[in-house]
Structures are given as C-alpha cells and as structure tokens.
Amino acid sequence: MWQQYLQQIQHGDIKALARCISLVENQVEGHERLLQLLPPSTTPVIGITGPPGAGKSTLVDALIGHITGEGKKAGVLCVDPSSPFNLGALLGDRIRMSEWYTNPNVYIRSLASRGSLGGLHPKIIEISDLLKAATFDYVIVETVGVGQSEIEIAGLADCTVVVLVPESGDDVQTMKAGLMEIADIFVVNKADRPDAAAFMKNLHGMLAPAFNTRRIPVPVIKTVASQKTGISELMEAIAESLAQQKNRDKKYWLLAEKAYYLITQKKMAGVKKSFLKTQIEKAGKDFNLYRFIQQF
C-alpha cells in the first residue's frame, strides 16, 4: 500500500499526497514505512519567517505568482498558530491565498502549529519531505509569526528568508540573537512606507563586517508584496543562495538538525500532556515539578 502511495505522489497525484500528509500528521500506524521509502530529493525548501504583521503570507502569494509565471510548480506549507487549549487554528492563509486553490501547478496545505514553540508543525520535516517527493520545483514553508522562537526554520529550509517591515525599528536589536542570525536573505517588505530608507540603513549597519562574522554578505531585498514589487529580485537572490550552498556543508548540518529533532520526538513519544496533567492533579499540594519530572 505504501509503495503504491509513493508512486502516486511521484506521478503528481495531489489527492494521494493530501491523504498521505494526513496519515503522517495523525501518525497512522505504518506511516513510518512510507517515509522510509522516500528517495533522495534535490527539491529546495524555502523558509519564510519573521515577526507578526510583516506580510509573510502576501509575500508567499507573490512568490507563487512568480514561480507559476515561469511555468514551474510550488508546494506550500503554511503553519498557523494553535490554541493552547484545543490545538486548533484559524488557518487564515486559506483566505489570503485562495486564488491558487484551483491552480494545478500549486498545492497549498495549512497546518496548525499544535503547540510547537518553534513556529512550525511537529511533523513539518516529514510533511515537507513528502512534498519534496512530489513533482514540485519549490517547496515553500511559511512559519507562525511568533518572533524570536521561530528559529527552528533554519533546521528545515535550504534557504531561510527573514521578512521585516520598516516599523520593526529598534526591534531589530532584540532579534539579532535569533532571527538575525538564521537569515540567508533579508526582505524589507512594505518598503514604500516613509521609514523604509532609515530602516534599510540601520539593517545594513548591523550586517556590516564589524558587527557580523558571516563570510558571505546577507542580501537585503526591498519588496512591496501587495504590488508584486521586488519579487523577481527576491527569486534571483534565492537562486543565488541555493547555488552557493552546494559548495558549503550547510546541507549536512541541515540533515543533522533534522535527525536530532526526529530522534528527540521518538524519545518523547510516550509522554502525553494529558497524562502529565492527570498525574499533577493527583499529586495535590505536595507537587514538586523537579521531583515529578525525575521519573521520566
């Protein structure tokens, strides 16, 4: 059955792909077999991340337009924030990118973060690998806009695009330790706003050699995603970044990061939050967090 599913995915069967994503997402028994059958893939994963309100979804929408305009195919994963109580999500990207849902060259899947602190879905590695096995030329992953914690995308994407807006201002300083260091490309979106020039100057200053140890300069691209301005320049920068990485060992670090994450997941597989909550309730007033976790 799993071999048949894989063949269908490799032949561009979107229904089979959607079904397999659901099987993996819900950890249906035997889904590991499908993942173990996946062949090596060179399909690049482009990560789009940044603080809330930066226009990530609008930028992804514009990138899809550029990719399909060149006759290529795009698989898109949009991760939305989950409720901490029922782990459900609004999945607002379905509204923003609705024009692509009938396009045969585009597949968009909205996912809930399900409590993941890194701005991604717990099964994002497996799901992105399923998309890489399909007939897409690019896989785009858009993260939850939660700021500093969403550096997990650096362990998933071949090229990480950090989207900022002029209003970020001094917030760039607070982002330096996280988002600032994972970027392969910076995008200053909504660059038609009055503060854009000053913000670009500050950003370039932070990326200067005196303050940065990166050997290869990080490009900064200005866009107005709502007007599709700067998108072709961004795609050129992405292509250049991907070409440079073929000569670096980043792909091995990426695989090591993925392996570490998946091993950690397996180790934690038997630990359920609902069980922990029940045990904590039973402990009553004598509960001590550190004595409690020692048993695990």
Side-chain angles (χ1 to χ4, degrees):
M1 178 181 77
W2 299 112
Q3 183 70 54
Q4 186 180 355
Y5 273 141
L6 178 59
Q7 289 173 352
Q8 290 171 339
I9 290 170
Q10 289 177 316
H11 286 91
D13 188 330
I14 294 300
K15 287 184 179 179
L17 174 63
R19 178 167 175 75
C20 287
I21 290 174
S22 295
L23 293 173
V24 168
E25 193 175 12
N26 297 311
Q27 301 182 62
V28 171
E29 188 177 350
H31 75 277
E32 293 96 343
R33 177 63 183 150
L34 172 62
L35 298 171
Q36 289 163 4
L37 289 170
L38 294 176
S41 172
T42 57
T43 304
V45 177
I46 302 167
I48 308 292
T49 190
K56 296 186 294 295
S57 296
T58 309
L59 188 72
V60 171
D61 183 73
L63 283 172
I64 295 170
H66 189 278
I67 290 167
T68 54
E70 293 185 333
K72 295 181 178 179
K73 296 183 177 183
V76 184
L77 298 174
C78 299
V79 188
D80 281 283
S82 293
S83 160
F85 302 106
N86 60 21
L87 300 185
L90 183 62
L91 304 179
D93 295 298
R94 295 189 178 190
I95 300 166
R96 298 185 192 99
M97 302 179 196
S98 57
E99 68 173 290
W100 302 112
Y101 276 92
T102 55
N103 191 310
N105 292 329
V106 180
Y107 174 73
I108 299 174
R109 179 76 173 225
S110 294
L111 302 167
S113 63
R114 297 193 178 187
S116 172
L117 294 178
L120 295 170
H121 183 279
K123 291 286 180 183
I124 193 71
I125 292 174
E126 295 93 327
I127 294 171
S128 61
D129 281 340
L130 282 175
L131 261 66
K132 287 171 71 174
T135 55
F136 302 115
D137 297 289
Y138 295 96
V139 173
I140 300 174
V141 179
E142 180 200 337
T143 76
V144 172
V146 293
Q148 188 82 333
S149 67
E150 57 184 18
I151 58 174
E152 262 184 26
I153 189 67
L156 174 74
D158 299 294
C159 177
T160 301
V161 179
V162 173
V163 186
L164 303 170
V165 282
E167 289 75 15
S168 298
D170 292 336
D171 292 343
V172 170
Q173 290 287 347
T174 64
M175 288 188 284
K176 187 174 182 184
L179 285 178
M180 297 298 287
E181 292 181 4
I182 66 167
D184 294 305
I185 299 167
F186 282 107
V187 165
V188 177
N189 194 29
K190 306 178 185 180
D192 55 341
R193 293 189 176 179
D195 298 334
F199 179 74
M200 288 283 289
K201 183 180 178 182
N202 290 338
L203 185 56
H204 278 295
M206 290 192 67
L207 296 172
F211 301 101
N212 200 291
T213 57
R214 301 275 283 263
R215 284 176 294 175
I216 300 172
V218 182
V220 180
I221 310 294
K222 287 197 294 185
T223 65
V224 184
S226 59
Q227 298 172 20
K228 309 291 190 288
T229 304
I231 303 303
S232 57
E233 290 85 350
L234 174 56
M235 282 303 300
E236 285 174 19
I238 289 170
E240 192 173 330
S241 175
L242 292 169
Q244 286 172 351
Q245 286 168 21
K246 287 181 180 177
N247 302 319
R248 300 203 309 237
D249 66 348
K250 181 179 177 179
K251 68 176 181 178
Y252 300 112
W253 280 113
L254 277 174
L255 289 170
E257 193 72 31
K258 290 178 183 179
Y260 184 86
Y261 179 80
L262 294 172
I263 291 167
T264 304
Q265 269 196 329
K266 289 289 183 186
K267 293 279 189 185
M268 292 292 290
V271 182
K272 303 292 182 188
K273 287 183 183 178
S274 56
F275 172 76
L276 295 178
K277 176 178 172 288
T278 304
Q279 295 302 110
I280 290 168
E281 284 175 342
K282 286 180 182 177
K285 293 180 180 179
D286 295 328
F287 175 75
N288 178 282
L289 178 62
Y290 302 98
R291 286 201 303 269
F292 176 73
I293 64 171
Q294 199 168 9
Q295 63 186 297
F296 300 98

